[in-house]
């Protein structure tokens, strides 16, 4: 196939992929600005008049302020815990590649592929009295993000020269000082990557709160949207406004950190 033809086919494929991703966002945005009658057909036509009050109604009726704070608490706390714990574990296992640490590494990253056993997990949450609590869902989310974070960071640690460890130890650094003062700043690219991916996964998750958060006061935004849709399923303008308000924080976080994602992913995968 000629080079120009391959380039044209690649651009066409990229355009079609972008269209598939952007069309739902466009549809939700347009219908969030319409009246209830106009939005009933969920068409792609522009609204005859902008109805910005839809967003205020969605915030008030959908209790989005409380659910937004819950989502922010869960995503931020679990991301920080999972990323920091994974960095420490990956550093130890990468620097000391004994048979035991190799087994631990393979055992931990199995969590990327293994399905969740909800029956066992529910029993565990009940026994530990973590079910339907904010601290329980934060611990659960953090544990779920550890396998992939370790996989990313493990390979990146190997790119840091061991001579830095030796120099720091000669200068009197103890293991905690070596990690937090020398190694951790050098892990910034992959930590940002792991942090962004963890945050997005937690913010968009629907299943864990559905199973393990019974009280509506603890619901994140995904469950609030689900509940709002059940009450206003005939008002697509309000449902669209509710969904749009939910995805805006995710889009902002992604746009702020997307340039770090590819760098961190490739750095971690090459050596892993």
């Amino acid at each position: 196939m000629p080079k120009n033809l391959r380039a044209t086919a690649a651009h066409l494929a990229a355009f079609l992929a972008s269209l598939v991703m952007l069309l739902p966002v466009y549809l939700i945005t347009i219908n969030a600005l319409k009246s209830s009658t106009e939005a009933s057909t969920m068409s792609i036509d522009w609204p005859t008049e902008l109805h910005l009050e839809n967003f205020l109604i969605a915030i008030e009726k959908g209790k989005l302020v409380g659910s937004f704070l819950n989502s922010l608490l869960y995503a931020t706390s679990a991301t920080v815990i999972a990323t920091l714990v994974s960095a420490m574990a990956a550093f130890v296992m990468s620097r000391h590649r004994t048979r035991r640490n190799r087994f631990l590494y393979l055992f931990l990253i199995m969590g990327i592929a293994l399905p969740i056993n909800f029956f066992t997990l529910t029993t565990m949450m009940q026994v530990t009295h973590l079910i339907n609590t904010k601290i329980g869902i934060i611990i659960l989310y953090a544990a779920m993000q550890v396998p992939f974070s370790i996989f990313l960071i493990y390979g990146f640690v190997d790119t840091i020269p061991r001579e830095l460890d030796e120099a720091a130890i000669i200068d009197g650094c103890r293991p905690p000082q070596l990690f937090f003062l020398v190694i951790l700043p050098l892990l910034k690219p992959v930590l940002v990557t792991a942090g962004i991916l963890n945050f997005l996964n937690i913010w968009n998750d629907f299943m864990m709160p559905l199973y393990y958060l019974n009280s509506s006061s603890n619901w994140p935004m995904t469950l609030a949207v689900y509940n709002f849709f059940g009450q206003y399923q005939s008002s697509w303008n309000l449902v669209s406004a509710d969904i749009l308000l939910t995805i805006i924080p995710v889009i902002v976080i992604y746009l702020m950190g997307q340039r770090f994602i590819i760098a961190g992913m490739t750095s971690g995968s090459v050596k892993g």
Side-chain angles (χ1 to χ4, degrees):
M1 182 182 293
K3 187 176 180 180
N4 291 338
L5 190 57
R6 286 202 304 269
T8 303
H11 282 88
L12 182 60
F15 173 76
L16 292 176
S18 301
L19 194 62
V20 169
M21 300 296 291
L22 290 175
L23 187 58
V25 178
Y26 170 79
L27 196 62
I28 290 296
T29 304
I30 288 297
N31 284 279
L33 298 171
K34 295 179 180 178
S35 65
S36 178
T37 305
E38 284 184 314
S40 60
T41 58
M42 285 294 284
S43 65
I44 61 173
D45 300 330
W46 281 85
T48 55
E49 184 181 355
L50 297 181
H51 291 269
L52 297 176
E53 70 275 9
N54 291 339
F55 295 98
L56 296 177
I57 296 173
I59 291 173
E60 181 184 358
K61 301 293 184 183
K63 300 178 181 178
L64 288 188
V65 175
S67 59
F68 172 81
L69 294 177
N70 286 337
S71 287
L72 190 63
L73 173 67
Y74 302 152
T76 304
S77 303
T79 295
V80 171
I81 294 171
T83 307
L84 185 59
V85 169
S86 300
M88 290 189 287
F91 173 66
V92 173
M93 290 186 291
S94 179
R95 281 293 194 256
H96 304 282
R97 298 198 176 192
T98 61
R99 185 174 296 179
R100 182 185 63 181
N101 284 344
R102 185 64 179 171
F103 169 79
L104 285 175
Y105 171 70
L106 295 175
F107 177 75
L108 287 171
I109 65 172
M110 273 199 309
I112 298 174
L114 291 180
I116 297 174
N117 188 318
F118 284 99
F119 176 77
T120 306
L121 189 56
T122 301
T123 304
M124 181 63 71
M125 296 287 283
Q126 290 173 336
V127 169
T128 55
H129 302 286
L130 291 175
I131 196 165
N132 198 31
T133 63
K134 291 183 178 180
I135 186 65
I137 200 71
I138 290 173
I139 294 174
L140 181 59
Y141 273 139
M144 290 174 59
Q145 305 307 316
V146 163
F148 186 67
S149 300
I150 286 181
F151 173 73
L152 277 182
I153 300 170
Y154 182 87
F156 194 89
V157 170
D158 206 32
T159 65
I160 300 175
R162 290 175 179 268
E163 287 76 10
L164 286 177
D165 300 16
E166 297 169 357
I169 293 172
I170 291 173
D171 288 342
C173 278
R174 294 184 176 182
Q177 293 172 315
L178 168 64
F179 176 75
F180 287 103
L181 299 180
V182 178
I183 301 300
L184 197 60
L186 298 176
L187 295 177
K188 181 182 175 183
V190 74
L191 292 181
V192 173
T193 300
I196 292 171
L197 295 176
N198 290 340
F199 187 92
L200 297 182
N201 287 336
I202 296 168
W203 188 279
N204 291 323
D205 183 64
F206 175 77
M207 296 301 294
M208 293 300 117
L210 182 64
Y211 281 108
Y212 303 114
L213 289 178
N214 299 323
S215 174
S216 61
S217 62
N218 293 336
W219 284 357
M221 293 193 79
T222 48
L223 270 192
V225 170
Y226 177 71
N227 184 58
F228 187 83
F229 176 74
Q231 296 179 16
Y232 298 93
Q233 55 182 315
S234 60
S235 302
W236 282 103
N237 57 332
L238 299 181
V239 172
S240 298
D242 195 61
I243 294 174
L244 189 61
L245 289 171
T246 304
I247 65 175
I248 283 176
V250 179
I251 294 175
V252 171
I253 293 294
Y254 176 77
L255 292 178
M256 289 173 60
Q258 56 87 22
R259 66 190 178 94
F260 294 103
I261 293 179
I262 296 178
M265 290 282 285
T266 53
S267 299
S269 61
V270 169
K271 292 289 184 179

mmCIF file of all heavy atoms in Angstrom, residues 53-80:
data_model
loop_
_atom_site.group_PDB
_atom_site.id
_atom_site.type_symbol
_atom_site.label_atom_id
_atom_site.label_comp_id
_atom_site.label_asym_id
_atom_site.label_seq_id
_atom_site.Cartn_x
_atom_site.Cartn_y
_atom_site.Cartn_z
ATOM 1 N N GLU A 53 -31.070 26.569 33.470
ATOM 2 C CA GLU A 53 -31.612 26.202 34.779
ATOM 3 C C GLU A 53 -31.647 24.699 34.988
ATOM 4 O O GLU A 53 -31.812 24.218 36.122
ATOM 5 C CB GLU A 53 -33.024 26.789 34.952
ATOM 6 C CG GLU A 53 -34.103 26.144 34.086
ATOM 7 C CD GLU A 53 -34.176 26.749 32.689
ATOM 8 O OE1 GLU A 53 -33.271 27.535 32.360
ATOM 9 O OE2 GLU A 53 -35.127 26.442 31.957
ATOM 10 N N ASN A 54 -31.505 23.934 33.900
ATOM 11 C CA ASN A 54 -31.478 22.469 34.038
ATOM 12 C C ASN A 54 -30.357 22.025 34.976
ATOM 13 O O ASN A 54 -30.515 21.066 35.736
ATOM 14 C CB ASN A 54 -31.270 21.815 32.668
ATOM 15 C CG ASN A 54 -32.473 21.987 31.762
ATOM 16 O OD1 ASN A 54 -33.574 22.243 32.243
ATOM 17 N ND2 ASN A 54 -32.261 21.847 30.473
ATOM 18 N N PHE A 55 -29.215 22.728 34.910
ATOM 19 C CA PHE A 55 -28.074 22.347 35.749
ATOM 20 C C PHE A 55 -28.367 22.628 37.230
ATOM 21 O O PHE A 55 -28.006 21.826 38.099
ATOM 22 C CB PHE A 55 -26.827 23.103 35.301
ATOM 23 C CG PHE A 55 -26.376 22.727 33.921
ATOM 24 C CD1 PHE A 55 -26.716 23.505 32.825
ATOM 25 C CD2 PHE A 55 -25.627 21.577 33.705
ATOM 26 C CE1 PHE A 55 -26.315 23.152 31.548
ATOM 27 C CE2 PHE A 55 -25.221 21.214 32.433
ATOM 28 C CZ PHE A 55 -25.570 22.004 31.345
ATOM 29 N N LEU A 56 -29.036 23.760 37.500
ATOM 30 C CA LEU A 56 -29.380 24.076 38.890
ATOM 31 C C LEU A 56 -30.380 23.065 39.444
ATOM 32 O O LEU A 56 -30.272 22.630 40.604
ATOM 33 C CB LEU A 56 -29.952 25.498 38.971
ATOM 34 C CG LEU A 56 -28.999 26.626 38.581
ATOM 35 C CD1 LEU A 56 -29.704 27.972 38.641
ATOM 36 C CD2 LEU A 56 -27.777 26.615 39.493
ATOM 37 N N ILE A 57 -31.356 22.668 38.604
ATOM 38 C CA ILE A 57 -32.345 21.669 39.051
ATOM 39 C C ILE A 57 -31.662 20.323 39.307
ATOM 40 O O ILE A 57 -31.948 19.636 40.299
ATOM 41 C CB ILE A 57 -33.455 21.523 37.986
ATOM 42 C CG1 ILE A 57 -34.222 22.841 37.837
ATOM 43 C CG2 ILE A 57 -34.405 20.397 38.350
ATOM 44 C CD1 ILE A 57 -35.226 22.840 36.703
ATOM 45 N N ALA A 58 -30.737 19.946 38.406
ATOM 46 C CA ALA A 58 -30.036 18.669 38.577
ATOM 47 C C ALA A 58 -29.192 18.672 39.849
ATOM 48 O O ALA A 58 -29.144 17.665 40.578
ATOM 49 C CB ALA A 58 -29.150 18.401 37.363
ATOM 50 N N ILE A 59 -28.541 19.811 40.141
ATOM 51 C CA ILE A 59 -27.712 19.891 41.356
ATOM 52 C C ILE A 59 -28.578 19.778 42.609
ATOM 53 O O ILE A 59 -28.242 19.071 43.560
ATOM 54 C CB ILE A 59 -26.920 21.209 41.355
ATOM 55 C CG1 ILE A 59 -25.856 21.188 40.248
ATOM 56 C CG2 ILE A 59 -26.258 21.438 42.706
ATOM 57 C CD1 ILE A 59 -25.139 22.504 40.068
ATOM 58 N N GLU A 60 -29.734 20.475 42.569
ATOM 59 C CA GLU A 60 -30.601 20.483 43.758
ATOM 60 C C GLU A 60 -31.322 19.145 43.931
ATOM 61 O O GLU A 60 -31.268 18.534 45.008
ATOM 62 C CB GLU A 60 -31.618 21.614 43.630
ATOM 63 C CG GLU A 60 -32.548 21.708 44.837
ATOM 64 C CD GLU A 60 -33.615 22.787 44.652
ATOM 65 O OE1 GLU A 60 -33.605 23.476 43.605
ATOM 66 O OE2 GLU A 60 -34.463 22.918 45.557
ATOM 67 N N LYS A 61 -32.010 18.700 42.875
ATOM 68 C CA LYS A 61 -32.809 17.465 42.981
ATOM 69 C C LYS A 61 -31.929 16.217 43.071
ATOM 70 O O LYS A 61 -32.306 15.233 43.711
ATOM 71 C CB LYS A 61 -33.732 17.343 41.771
ATOM 72 C CG LYS A 61 -34.707 18.508 41.591
ATOM 73 C CD LYS A 61 -35.729 18.558 42.709
ATOM 74 C CE LYS A 61 -36.747 19.681 42.453
ATOM 75 N NZ LYS A 61 -37.720 19.801 43.572
ATOM 76 N N GLY A 62 -30.770 16.249 42.395
ATOM 77 C CA GLY A 62 -29.894 15.083 42.402
ATOM 78 C C GLY A 62 -28.947 15.020 43.575
ATOM 79 O O GLY A 62 -28.193 14.059 43.713
ATOM 80 N N LYS A 63 -29.005 16.048 44.453
ATOM 81 C CA LYS A 63 -28.114 16.116 45.624
ATOM 82 C C LYS A 63 -26.659 15.920 45.206
ATOM 83 O O LYS A 63 -25.909 15.130 45.794
ATOM 84 C CB LYS A 63 -28.516 15.063 46.658
ATOM 85 C CG LYS A 63 -29.943 15.230 47.182
ATOM 86 C CD LYS A 63 -30.304 14.129 48.162
ATOM 87 C CE LYS A 63 -31.742 14.301 48.651
ATOM 88 N NZ LYS A 63 -32.151 13.220 49.568
ATOM 89 N N LEU A 64 -26.276 16.646 44.160
ATOM 90 C CA LEU A 64 -24.954 16.445 43.581
ATOM 91 C C LEU A 64 -23.831 17.029 44.432
ATOM 92 O O LEU A 64 -22.685 16.590 44.317
ATOM 93 C CB LEU A 64 -24.897 17.059 42.177
ATOM 94 C CG LEU A 64 -25.680 16.325 41.084
ATOM 95 C CD1 LEU A 64 -25.380 16.924 39.727
ATOM 96 C CD2 LEU A 64 -25.346 14.846 41.078
ATOM 97 N N VAL A 65 -24.146 18.007 45.262
ATOM 98 C CA VAL A 65 -23.076 18.603 46.080
ATOM 99 C C VAL A 65 -22.517 17.565 47.051
ATOM 100 O O VAL A 65 -21.296 17.358 47.156
ATOM 101 C CB VAL A 65 -23.599 19.837 46.839
ATOM 102 C CG1 VAL A 65 -22.512 20.377 47.774
ATOM 103 C CG2 VAL A 65 -24.011 20.923 45.851
ATOM 104 N N GLY A 66 -23.416 16.888 47.771
ATOM 105 C CA GLY A 66 -22.978 15.863 48.719
ATOM 106 C C GLY A 66 -22.296 14.702 48.024
ATOM 107 O O GLY A 66 -21.255 14.214 48.495
ATOM 108 N N SER A 67 -22.883 14.240 46.918
ATOM 109 C CA SER A 67 -22.284 13.106 46.206
ATOM 110 C C SER A 67 -20.952 13.496 45.564
ATOM 111 O O SER A 67 -20.037 12.671 45.468
ATOM 112 C CB SER A 67 -23.250 12.583 45.143
ATOM 113 O OG SER A 67 -23.579 13.597 44.222
ATOM 114 N N PHE A 68 -20.826 14.770 45.137
ATOM 115 C CA PHE A 68 -19.548 15.237 44.584
ATOM 116 C C PHE A 68 -18.453 15.189 45.655
ATOM 117 O O PHE A 68 -17.336 14.725 45.396
ATOM 118 C CB PHE A 68 -19.699 16.658 44.048
ATOM 119 C CG PHE A 68 -18.399 17.289 43.623
ATOM 120 C CD1 PHE A 68 -17.842 16.998 42.385
ATOM 121 C CD2 PHE A 68 -17.728 18.159 44.469
ATOM 122 C CE1 PHE A 68 -16.640 17.569 42.002
ATOM 123 C CE2 PHE A 68 -16.532 18.731 44.098
ATOM 124 C CZ PHE A 68 -15.980 18.436 42.854
ATOM 125 N N LEU A 69 -18.790 15.653 46.854
ATOM 126 C CA LEU A 69 -17.794 15.629 47.937
ATOM 127 C C LEU A 69 -17.429 14.192 48.299
ATOM 128 O O LEU A 69 -16.272 13.894 48.601
ATOM 129 C CB LEU A 69 -18.348 16.382 49.155
ATOM 130 C CG LEU A 69 -18.556 17.884 48.960
ATOM 131 C CD1 LEU A 69 -19.187 18.508 50.205
ATOM 132 C CD2 LEU A 69 -17.241 18.579 48.638
ATOM 133 N N ASN A 70 -18.426 13.292 48.272
ATOM 134 C CA ASN A 70 -18.129 11.884 48.553
ATOM 135 C C ASN A 70 -17.202 11.297 47.484
ATOM 136 O O ASN A 70 -16.229 10.604 47.809
ATOM 137 C CB ASN A 70 -19.429 11.073 48.596
ATOM 138 C CG ASN A 70 -20.218 11.323 49.856
ATOM 139 O OD1 ASN A 70 -19.670 11.739 50.874
ATOM 140 N ND2 ASN A 70 -21.516 11.085 49.803
ATOM 141 N N SER A 71 -17.511 11.568 46.220
ATOM 142 C CA SER A 71 -16.655 11.061 45.138
ATOM 143 C C SER A 71 -15.237 11.613 45.259
ATOM 144 O O SER A 71 -14.254 10.891 45.061
ATOM 145 C CB SER A 71 -17.240 11.448 43.773
ATOM 146 O OG SER A 71 -18.369 10.685 43.477
ATOM 147 N N LEU A 72 -15.148 12.915 45.576
ATOM 148 C CA LEU A 72 -13.832 13.536 45.716
ATOM 149 C C LEU A 72 -13.055 12.899 46.869
ATOM 150 O O LEU A 72 -11.850 12.636 46.749
ATOM 151 C CB LEU A 72 -14.004 15.037 45.962
ATOM 152 C CG LEU A 72 -12.745 15.896 45.889
ATOM 153 C CD1 LEU A 72 -12.153 15.849 44.485
ATOM 154 C CD2 LEU A 72 -13.060 17.342 46.283
ATOM 155 N N LEU A 73 -13.758 12.629 47.981
ATOM 156 C CA LEU A 73 -13.107 11.999 49.137
ATOM 157 C C LEU A 73 -12.628 10.595 48.784
ATOM 158 O O LEU A 73 -11.466 10.237 49.063
ATOM 159 C CB LEU A 73 -14.090 11.937 50.307
ATOM 160 C CG LEU A 73 -13.610 11.155 51.532
ATOM 161 C CD1 LEU A 73 -12.439 11.861 52.198
ATOM 162 C CD2 LEU A 73 -14.753 10.973 52.537
ATOM 163 N N TYR A 74 -13.493 9.798 48.177
ATOM 164 C CA TYR A 74 -13.127 8.418 47.857
ATOM 165 C C TYR A 74 -11.978 8.374 46.840
ATOM 166 O O TYR A 74 -11.006 7.633 47.021
ATOM 167 C CB TYR A 74 -14.338 7.660 47.283
ATOM 168 C CG TYR A 74 -15.546 7.611 48.188
ATOM 169 C CD1 TYR A 74 -16.829 7.498 47.666
ATOM 170 C CD2 TYR A 74 -15.405 7.693 49.565
ATOM 171 C CE1 TYR A 74 -17.941 7.459 48.491
ATOM 172 C CE2 TYR A 74 -16.507 7.676 50.405
ATOM 173 C CZ TYR A 74 -17.781 7.554 49.859
ATOM 174 O OH TYR A 74 -18.876 7.526 50.681
ATOM 175 N N ALA A 75 -12.128 9.137 45.764
ATOM 176 C CA ALA A 75 -11.130 9.068 44.687
ATOM 177 C C ALA A 75 -9.773 9.600 45.151
ATOM 178 O O ALA A 75 -8.728 8.989 44.877
ATOM 179 C CB ALA A 75 -11.619 9.854 43.471
ATOM 180 N N THR A 76 -9.783 10.716 45.872
ATOM 181 C CA THR A 76 -8.513 11.318 46.305
ATOM 182 C C THR A 76 -7.814 10.456 47.360
ATOM 183 O O THR A 76 -6.616 10.156 47.235
ATOM 184 C CB THR A 76 -8.768 12.727 46.871
ATOM 185 O OG1 THR A 76 -9.447 13.511 45.894
ATOM 186 C CG2 THR A 76 -7.466 13.405 47.227
ATOM 187 N N SER A 77 -8.559 10.050 48.386
ATOM 188 C CA SER A 77 -7.955 9.276 49.469
ATOM 189 C C SER A 77 -7.435 7.935 48.967
ATOM 190 O O SER A 77 -6.287 7.545 49.261
ATOM 191 C CB SER A 77 -8.980 9.044 50.585
ATOM 192 O OG SER A 77 -9.484 10.255 51.073
ATOM 193 N N ALA A 78 -8.267 7.214 48.224
ATOM 194 C CA ALA A 78 -7.848 5.891 47.748
ATOM 195 C C ALA A 78 -6.687 5.999 46.764
ATOM 196 O O ALA A 78 -5.795 5.142 46.755
ATOM 197 C CB ALA A 78 -9.031 5.184 47.090
ATOM 198 N N THR A 79 -6.686 7.051 45.952
ATOM 199 C CA THR A 79 -5.589 7.236 44.997
ATOM 200 C C THR A 79 -4.268 7.475 45.717
ATOM 201 O O THR A 79 -3.234 6.877 45.377
ATOM 202 C CB THR A 79 -5.902 8.413 44.067
ATOM 203 O OG1 THR A 79 -7.047 8.091 43.267
ATOM 204 C CG2 THR A 79 -4.725 8.716 43.145
ATOM 205 N N VAL A 80 -4.285 8.344 46.717
ATOM 206 C CA VAL A 80 -3.054 8.631 47.467
ATOM 207 C C VAL A 80 -2.556 7.378 48.178
ATOM 208 O O VAL A 80 -1.357 7.029 48.122
ATOM 209 C CB VAL A 80 -3.303 9.767 48.486
ATOM 210 C CG1 VAL A 80 -2.106 9.931 49.412
ATOM 211 C CG2 VAL A 80 -3.581 11.072 47.758
#
